[in-house]
Amino acid sequence: MNAERLLQYYETIAEVPDAMTQLRRFVLDLAVRGKLVPQDREDEPAAELLVRIAEEKARLVQAGEIRKPKALPAVDRAPFDLPPCWCWTRVREITSDRGQEIPESAFTYIDVTAINKEVGVVAEPKVLEAIDAPSRARKLAMKGDVIYSCVRPYLLNVAVIETDFEPKPIASTAFAILNGHGLVMPRYIWIVLRSPFMVKCVEETQRGLAYPAINDGDFALLPFPLPPLAEQHRIVAKVDELMALCDQLEAARTAREATRDRLAAASLARLNTPDPETFTDDAHFALDTLPALTARPDQIKQLRQTVLNLAVRGKLVPQDPKDEPAEELLKRIDEELPAEKSNRTTHVFPSLDIPASWRWIRLGKLVSFSDAGWSPKTEDFPRQADEWGVLKVSAVSWDTFRPWENKQVLPGTKPRQQAVVKRGDFLISRANTAQLIARAVIVTEEPIKLMMSDKIVRLLLSEHCCDRYVWIVNNYADFAREYYIIHASGVSPSMKNVSRDVILGLPLPLPPLAEQHRIVARVDELMAVCDQLEASLTAADDTRRKLLDALLADALTSVNAEQLQEAAE
């Protein structure tokens, strides 16, 4: 791994969400392939090391310290090429376990909860009395052993016992105990067991779906890339160095993100709880600087919501004294249409300050007529082009109209004309989850043979209001969402209902008509900025990933500076 080159381009690739995870995996992958450190011709070859391991095992068998190991087949097909001084072997050809015993006195119990798998050590084992020993507390272990959880191995609970525990340690039978006899470094064994290569081997060998595990026999046969002992030391030292570098880079990224998050949060907070004396300056500062502070999709989502909250509070565009006040607008609405009234008057208007030219009203004040659809019998198969369909609730739940979300009525069913969907309709869902209930859409294209279901309400709005402004309030204002959640009925959180009366009773801050149009134009402008930010984030992520891939490939192949520079641009 070329650390200098990595540092050169780090600022560019650091924003890739899983950059450090990829780097750590790649370090381990290089390590077990003999590509992390140079080979030394003076090192004792791995083949001779295997002979010494076999001799040590024979001595321990004769001394009665371990059982005679079973003969294992040679690795007849190498998973990948190794350096000439390395060799392929099996996990249990170069390691032994230490047997089992039932605790008869106090002991140090090692189970998966005692493992710090990121660091790879036994961190917090329990001391238990023999009488409290779990039935799985059986496997003997010592300082210098590697323990590997064979149950749910994808969790990578692998650790080196680096402490002389008192009382003596006993591990759970969920672990395989690996004693390298002082001829295979424990940390090198840990590196191999955590490497992408070994993870894949175990995934292909484990059994069980809900509770996967690898048994002792299959574990013993896992292929193991063995380097000379001297090179093992160099590999471990290099891995430790590069993992420490990854830790430093990740800490720097975390600190940078935290600072950026605090700045963005502070800017948004000043807008959401504005100070009248400084709001104009705060708004200009936030809208100018937030794009530079925004580096994640969730931050863009917060920016969108802030813009929409400002819009319905009269804080997004300036008021114009020449505009006809909402009070006069309401008088003209009363004169020209008999508004649909709501009986729901117990819910007070939100305690939000609005401009003097605005007025709080109920949504029904702007509605001259409302109706709902019907529920004819339908087919489950896709609608045929020449047949009528009934809209599902999902057709009006996602801010834009989805005409394809429908069910076909039974062939020959006559359409109910008052339920037919038309261009310009303002549709609201009566039933959905608590978060999606009473979402509205505006039908912008002429639908073909579609009707509303009885779970959808259509509103005919006064021409003296902007339907897009009403849509913004209904779908995005915090007080509107809270209002619908409070008044929704139904015990199931996955399906709530609101009545038409509740919809008509929605509190709505009404600006002058001219200001409504200015608000909608400004919202569209800022939403386009947010769309551009999201697109640029996606493009930047793709570029950073390509650069990261090039940097990682640099460890295996020769990638010149021009190629890396091209990926960075």
Side-chain angles (χ1 to χ4, degrees), residues 68-335:
K68 183 178 181 179
K70 294 180 180 179
L72 299 175
V75 178
D76 55 355
R77 181 177 297 178
F80 48 80
D81 292 335
L82 294 175
C85 54
W86 291 41
C87 67
W88 281 105
T89 182
R90 305 281 185 184
V91 165
R92 281 307 185 195
E93 191 171 359
I94 48 93
T95 65
S96 302
D97 65 16
R98 296 184 182 276
Q100 301 185 22
E101 72 174 37
I102 298 174
E104 296 181 351
S105 59
F107 66 101
T108 300
Y109 182 48
I110 301 174
D111 63 2
V112 290
T113 65
I115 303 298
N116 182 335
K117 64 181 183 181
E118 302 304 328
V119 179
V121 297
V122 177
E124 298 180 356
K126 305 176 184 125
V127 175
L128 301 178
E129 297 296 330
I131 194 172
D132 299 319
S135 60
R136 298 178 69 90
R138 293 289 185 273
K139 290 205 169 182
L140 295 172
M142 292 179 59
K143 180 181 178 180
D145 289 347
V146 179
I147 59 175
Y148 177 89
S149 179
C150 293
V151 178
R152 291 194 289 181
Y154 58 86
L155 295 177
L156 294 179
N157 283 308
V158 191
V160 178
I161 302 178
E162 296 183 338
T163 304
D164 275 320
F165 290 111
E166 286 292 339
K168 72 177 183 180
I170 294 181
S172 165
T173 53
F175 288 111
I177 310 299
L178 296 95
N179 167 24
H181 307 293
L183 298 172
V184 185
M185 287 188 67
R187 290 297 291 179
Y188 178 73
I189 296 174
W190 179 87
I191 289 168
V192 174
L193 293 177
R194 297 257 320 186
S195 68
F197 154 70
M198 187 61 78
V199 169
K200 183 179 179 182
C201 287
V202 173
E203 287 176 350
E204 294 172 348
T205 308
Q206 67 188 17
R207 306 178 189 185
L209 295 176
Y211 205 67
I214 182 170
N215 62 40
D216 290 344
D218 290 334
F219 181 79
L221 292 173
L222 291 174
F224 191 98
L226 183 67
L229 182 56
E231 188 170 346
Q232 293 177 37
H233 284 276
R234 296 195 297 275
I235 289 172
V236 168
K238 191 64 173 177
V239 167
D240 287 346
E241 174 191 341
L242 292 174
M243 291 302 179
L245 174 62
C246 287
D247 290 343
Q248 294 170 13
L249 296 176
E250 192 165 39
R253 172 186 171 177
T254 300
R256 185 173 61 255
E257 283 192 349
T259 301
R260 188 164 51 199
D261 285 350
R262 286 195 298 271
L263 289 171
S267 297
L268 294 174
R270 291 174 73 89
L271 296 183
N272 286 318
T273 56
D275 181 338
E277 295 183 359
T278 63
F279 176 76
T280 301
D281 291 338
D282 291 342
H284 283 302
F285 174 80
L287 294 175
D288 288 342
T289 59
L290 279 174
L293 297 175
T294 302
R296 299 196 311 270
D298 63 291
Q299 293 172 324
I300 297 176
K301 182 179 179 180
Q302 293 174 28
L303 179 56
R304 287 185 192 275
Q305 189 58 49
T306 297
V307 167
L308 294 165
N309 282 334
L310 293 174
V312 300
R313 296 181 184 191
K315 304 291 187 181
L316 195 62
V317 299
Q319 281 69 53
D320 188 340
K322 298 178 182 179
D323 290 342
E324 177 189 48
E327 190 72 40
E328 296 301 318
L329 180 62
L330 289 172
K331 290 178 182 179
R332 292 201 292 116
I333 291 173
D334 285 340
E335 291 173 358

